[in-house]
Amino acid sequence: MLVNYQIIRNTYSITYDGNGHDEGDVPTDDKAYTLNEKAEIAKAGNLKKDKHVFVEWNTDSEGNGTGYTEEQQVEMKGNLKLYAIWERVFTITYNGNGHTGGTVPVDSKAYKLNEKATISGIGDLENKDHDFVEWNTSADGEGTGYDPDHQE
């Protein structure tokens, strides 16, 4: 008696979700993986979200699942759907508020929540009619004031 049989292997895939991204291309992985086969987690590449930085890929869109770093090696145990996890960043912008000379300081760093920032000094900034008192969140000085070189 001749018996024919066929081996059916399950295959698994990795799909990526930009999770609110506003620029760039979500990575694609067209490979079919078998059980326990090693796969490499994709880089975020040119994926961007305004005023955010990419943190990791995660199995939960809120970041409460299993997190994976870019290029991490994983053993495939099933299909993986991974969401980009973003962290909000903040910037400091200085305004000379009517200055008559010098250059307004520039801080190009993106700060994460609760990260310390040092408030810039005035450098060569000047106003022939006024003395510098502080940096302030309001042009009229009624906001929150910050001394130069203060860490906040």
Side-chain angles (χ1 to χ4, degrees):
M1 171 184 208
L2 183 59
V3 176
N4 291 324
Y5 66 93
Q6 180 179 4
I7 298 175
I8 299 174
R9 290 195 171 139
N10 289 332
T11 58
Y12 306 108
S13 63
I14 303 174
T15 56
Y16 297 90
D17 184 308
N19 201 16
H21 77 290
D22 50 28
E23 190 177 323
D25 303 309
V26 177
T28 57
D29 187 342
D30 297 327
K31 185 168 182 196
Y33 298 95
T34 57
L35 183 66
N36 297 323
E37 184 177 357
K38 288 198 187 272
E40 183 174 282
I41 301 300
K43 290 183 177 184
N46 63 356
L47 208 58
K48 293 181 182 174
K49 184 174 180 178
D50 188 40
K51 298 180 182 172
H52 290 76
V53 292
F54 175 82
V55 176
E56 69 176 4
W57 294 106
N58 199 290
T59 56
D60 179 78
S61 64
E62 298 293 320
N64 297 318
T66 303
Y68 297 95
T69 59
E70 296 171 301
E71 300 183 290
Q72 181 177 341
Q73 297 288 316
V74 297
E75 280 188 16
M76 296 298 290
K77 302 290 185 190
N79 292 324
L80 266 179
K81 180 164 185 177
L82 299 176
Y83 299 88
I85 300 302
W86 303 99
E87 184 173 353
R88 177 93 166 132
V89 291
F90 304 89
T91 57
I92 299 173
T93 304
Y94 296 93
N95 182 314
N97 200 18
H99 72 288
T100 58
T103 305
V104 177
V106 175
D107 185 344
S108 57
K109 186 170 190 243
Y111 297 93
K112 295 179 181 177
L113 186 63
N114 298 320
E115 182 178 359
K116 296 256 185 228
T118 300
I119 304 301
S120 177
I122 65 167
D124 64 351
L125 196 64
E126 57 185 60
N127 185 325
K128 67 179 181 171
D129 298 325
H130 298 88
D131 291 328
F132 180 85
V133 176
E134 67 182 2
W135 294 108
N136 198 290
T137 59
S138 179
D140 64 6
E142 295 296 318
T144 303
Y146 297 95
D147 292 328
D149 301 319
H150 172 81
Q151 271 210 338
E152 186 61 34

